[in-house]
């Protein structure tokens, strides 16, 4: 059995970015799927692992880790080769800013529990939900497009995958899923297309996960 156990959901963006990072680091791991639509993340056994009842959770020899941003930083520190952060401090700050735009400003207000609240608590129609999603993705991607154009050399930053690509590819997947217009973001689309052909990104794709449906 693998020393790493990833609890996640096939279509979760945070689980997706964690799978990418694990793949880029060349790490084997066991997957334990939670069906978020059935509420399995709120089971008593899972809440003992992750009191938030969110995914992903990574079981490691160092302990139980939660929150994908923290997990990716742990992977970078624990398994530094190949590096997913640049060597120069200012460059690392740029990559972390790219990650932050997605992890802090786009994804949290478009995740499943927020969309459920919009539909069930506020009575939003699917068209209204789609408008909500497109608004926040497009706003964040406008900033990212400028940053990728400035700092990218094929990938989101530089000429090799970084943590920024781990975040960006799943967010583009989400945008495509909800039919967000990506034509204003050609540099982002090019970086994602380049990343997607790499084995780590392809194997992490939601459609290839054992719990996909």
């Amino acid at each position: 059995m693998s020393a790493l156990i990833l609890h996640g959901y096939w279509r979760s963006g945070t689980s997706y970015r964690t799978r990418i990072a694990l793949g880029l680091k060349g790490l084997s791991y066991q997957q334990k799927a939670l069906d978020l639509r059935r509420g399995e993340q709120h089971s008593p056994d899972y809440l003992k692992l992750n009191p938030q009842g969110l995914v992903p959770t990574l079981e490691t020899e160092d302990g139980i880790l939660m929150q994908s941003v923290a997990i990716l930083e742990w992977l970078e520190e624990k398994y530094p080769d190949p590096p997913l952060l640049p060597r120069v401090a200012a460059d690392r700050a740029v990559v972390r800013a790219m990650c932050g735009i997605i992890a802090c400003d786009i994804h949290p207000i478009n995740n499943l529990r927020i969309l459920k609240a919009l539909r069930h608590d506020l009575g939003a129609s699917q068209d209204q939900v789609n408008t909500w999603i497109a608004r926040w993705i497009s706003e964040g991607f406008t900033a990212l497009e400028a940053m990728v154009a400035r700092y990218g050399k094929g990938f989101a930053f530089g000429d090799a995958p970084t943590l920024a690509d781990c975040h960006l590819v799943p967010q583009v997947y989400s945008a495509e899923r909800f039919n967000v217009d990506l034509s204003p973001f050609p540099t982002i689309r090019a970086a994602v297309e380049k990343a997607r052909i790499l084995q780590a990104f392809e194997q992490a794709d939601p459609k290839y996960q054992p719990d996909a449906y």
Side-chain angles (χ1 to χ4, degrees):
M1 181 180 293
S2 171
L4 297 174
I5 302 174
L6 177 65
H7 300 259
Y9 176 62
W10 68 284
R11 208 160 55 186
S12 154
T14 52
S15 300
Y16 189 177
R17 70 176 69 136
T18 304
R19 293 194 301 265
I20 292 171
L22 286 163
L24 288 171
K25 294 293 186 181
L27 299 171
S28 61
Y29 59 97
Q30 177 188 353
Q31 290 202 62
K32 290 192 175 181
L34 295 156
D35 192 330
L36 302 190
R37 292 188 175 272
R38 295 181 180 176
E40 292 178 356
Q41 70 275 23
H42 301 305
S43 70
D45 286 344
Y46 185 65
L47 289 174
K48 290 177 184 177
L49 289 177
N50 186 322
Q52 273 195 299
L54 300 175
V55 294
T57 299
L58 187 66
E59 293 189 66
T60 80
E61 61 184 11
D62 292 343
I64 297 168
L65 308 178
M66 46 189 279
Q67 287 289 339
S68 63
V69 173
I71 292 171
L72 267 58
E73 290 279 354
W74 176 84
L75 288 170
E76 181 69 1
E77 293 178 15
K78 182 79 173 181
Y79 306 99
D81 294 315
L84 298 181
L85 283 171
R87 296 181 64 181
V88 177
D91 292 343
R92 291 198 297 273
V94 171
V95 170
R96 287 185 170 116
M98 290 177 169
C99 296
I101 290 172
I102 294 170
C104 301
D105 299 330
I106 300 176
H107 177 267
I109 52 178
N110 286 327
N111 69 14
L112 181 61
R113 59 181 178 163
I114 298 300
L115 300 185
K116 281 185 175 179
L118 290 174
R119 294 185 182 104
H120 302 304
D121 298 349
L122 301 179
S125 68
Q126 188 58 49
D127 285 344
Q128 289 173 317
V129 169
N130 289 346
T131 298
W132 170 276
I133 292 169
R135 171 184 176 180
W136 301 115
I137 290 179
S138 297
E139 184 174 297
F141 276 11
T142 297
L144 282 167
E145 176 73 11
M147 295 179 76
V148 175
R150 180 182 302 174
Y151 298 107
K153 295 180 180 178
F155 291 92
F157 184 99
D159 59 2
T162 66
L163 294 181
D165 301 281
C166 297
H167 285 72
L168 184 59
V169 169
Q171 194 59 63
V172 167
Y173 168 84
S174 178
E176 292 169 340
R177 178 184 163 207
F178 289 102
N179 298 312
V180 176
D181 180 14
L182 295 177
S183 61
F185 314 114
T187 311
I188 286 176
R189 288 188 286 113
V192 168
E193 288 172 10
K194 187 175 180 67
R196 278 175 168 167
I197 65 174
L198 298 180
Q199 184 178 33
F201 288 85
E202 183 178 12
Q203 290 180 340
D205 190 288
K207 65 177 177 285
Y208 295 128
Q209 304 317 303
D211 57 323
Y213 60 84

